[in-house]
Each structure stands twice: as C-alpha cells, then as structure tokens.
Amino acid sequence: MGENIPIGRCVVAVDGPSGSGKSTVSRRLATSLGARYLDTGAMYRAITWAVLRSGVDLNDAHAVAKVAGEVDLRIGTDPEGYAVTADGVNVETEIRGADVTAAVSAVAAVPAVRALLVARQRDMIDKAGRIVVEGRDIGSVVAPDADLKVYLTASAAARAARRSAENASDVAATAADLARRDQLDSTRKADPLAQAADAVVLDSTELGIDEVVARLRELLTERGVA
C-alpha cells in the first residue's frame, strides 16, 4: 500500500449489477485507500452454499433462514487476499460455481437472511472504519451514510462479455443468466438492487479498471475523505 495514506474513517459503497466490475474496482480502490474490503455478495453465496448442502427446499423461507442462522460464516476483509469459510470449510471456489449462482438470488430474497447479514455487515463496517463495501443494496440499505455511494454499471453486452471471459462460458447463456439475476434482485421485496438517490452513476463500458478507480479517488478527494 502507498505512503501517506489517510487513516480517518472512510466508507465507500459500491453497488451495481453483475459484471459491472464491482469486485475488481472495489478491491483495487480499497488497496489504494489503505482500507478494508467487504464483498457482501460472497456472504450471500456462502449462505446459499450452506443451504444447498443442507438439502432444504429453496422455497421454504423458514428452513432457509434456519440454515442461515446456524452456519458459522466467516469472511476476511483484506483486499489483497481473503478467505470465505462456512462451518470451517473454505468455500471461495464453490460459491462461484453454477449451482450457487443459480440459487443465490432466491436465498438472498429471504427477508430473515437479509436482516441477519445486513446486521453483520453494518457491524463489520463500524469496526473497520475505513472500508470499501460492494453489493447490491449497500448505499440504499447497509450503509446509507457512506462517504461515497457509487452505482457502477455497464452495457448488458459488456457485462456478459466480461463475465463469460471470467468463467469461460458462452456469452449468450451468460447474458441470459445475468438478465435473470438482475430481474430477480431488482424486484425482490426485501432490499432490492437499487441505485441510492445520492449515488454517483459511473458507466464502466468504455473505461478500464484503473480509470474507474482514478475517478473514484477524485470523487473522494472532492469530499475530503480520500
């Protein structure tokens, strides 16, 4: 990490649809700020992994919430390398798989699951003080008082191309899956994917990662918290 990095409190909320570059941008921004990093999506994915392993019906909200309340979920906040574990099992690889990806929107829509994880996320933010948090409801629900709220987006074609390159998957199939997840996440009753009213919208379609991070640093500097 660079020298002369401020040590004061700084909370950055990065929201947006899948494939917009949230994870890479957030990690790199956190590193440049000397801050922690929290991937809230990984938390929902880890709970989903536990739910699938338990064999409960995804449509049984009570059963899903019970699993979520019992699993020992742990996630690191080091932007340069962190682990996600569930009941002592490192699930970082498993939670990125097709089964979890197909089921995570259903699990994340359960109000009790969201209440549980939002409370935990807020606690982690308070303890970190200086942190970049990425997800789908950070600026609107988890950290409404964040110093900077960003809604990072990109064209559907760009998002599908990026995600298919990451997963070595078919672009058309990936585009359909992203559209499905965005629809489910933006229409759920509990804490839907939404752009906070005071968020800065940044379209990354034609921008490189470094350009996006530089723009966010400029916005933080303007707010006196970089």
Side-chain angles (χ1 to χ4, degrees):
M1 297 188 181
E3 299 179 354
N4 302 318
I5 293 175
I7 60 174
R9 180 177 176 80
C10 176
V11 177
V12 181
V14 182
D15 293 303
S18 299
S20 59
K22 296 192 305 295
S23 296
T24 303
V25 165
S26 297
R27 285 198 303 270
R28 211 171 281 186
L29 178 63
T31 297
S32 73
L33 292 172
R36 309 309 292 176
Y37 159 71
L38 180 58
D39 178 356
T40 64
M43 298 176 76
Y44 287 100
R45 284 176 172 272
I47 294 296
T48 301
W49 175 86
V51 168
L52 292 175
R53 185 182 63 163
S54 74
V56 303
D57 184 349
L58 288 176
N59 295 312
D60 186 339
H62 177 74
V64 169
K66 185 174 186 296
V67 172
E70 295 175 349
V71 66
D72 179 13
L73 170 62
R74 304 192 182 192
I75 182 168
T77 57
D78 183 344
E80 298 187 6
Y82 68 96
V84 183
T85 65
D87 291 334
V89 179
N90 187 317
V91 295
E92 178 58 29
T93 298
E94 288 81 355
I95 64 175
R96 307 298 175 184
D99 290 345
V100 169
T101 297
V104 65
S105 289
V107 172
V110 176
V113 172
R114 300 204 71 80
L116 177 72
L117 292 187
V118 167
R120 179 139 179 217
Q121 291 155 11
R122 286 173 173 165
D123 182 60
M124 294 175 75
I125 291 169
D126 287 341
K127 289 179 178 177
R130 193 170 184 82
I131 189 168
V132 178
V133 189
E134 64 143 309
R136 296 197 163 207
D137 64 342
I138 310 306
S140 57
V141 176
V142 179
D145 295 325
D147 298 285
L148 173 63
K149 301 177 188 177
V150 180
Y151 190 83
L152 188 63
T153 188
S155 70
R159 295 193 292 117
R162 292 169 183 171
R163 187 52 54 87
S164 63
E166 292 173 3
N167 302 334
S169 56
D170 177 74
V171 175
T174 299
D177 183 61
L178 292 182
R180 177 189 66 83
R181 288 188 57 207
D182 290 342
Q183 173 66 16
L184 289 172
D185 291 346
S186 62
T187 58
R188 65 180 177 233
K189 293 182 179 179
D191 307 339
L193 163 64
Q195 174 191 327
D198 53 348
V200 174
V201 179
L202 189 55
D203 190 322
S204 67
T205 302
E206 302 295 337
L207 298 176
I209 297 299
D210 290 340
E211 292 175 294
V212 175
V213 172
R215 177 55 181 150
L216 298 184
R217 286 299 304 262
E218 289 175 1
L219 291 170
L220 286 166
T221 297
E222 291 172 4
R223 288 163 169 74
V225 290

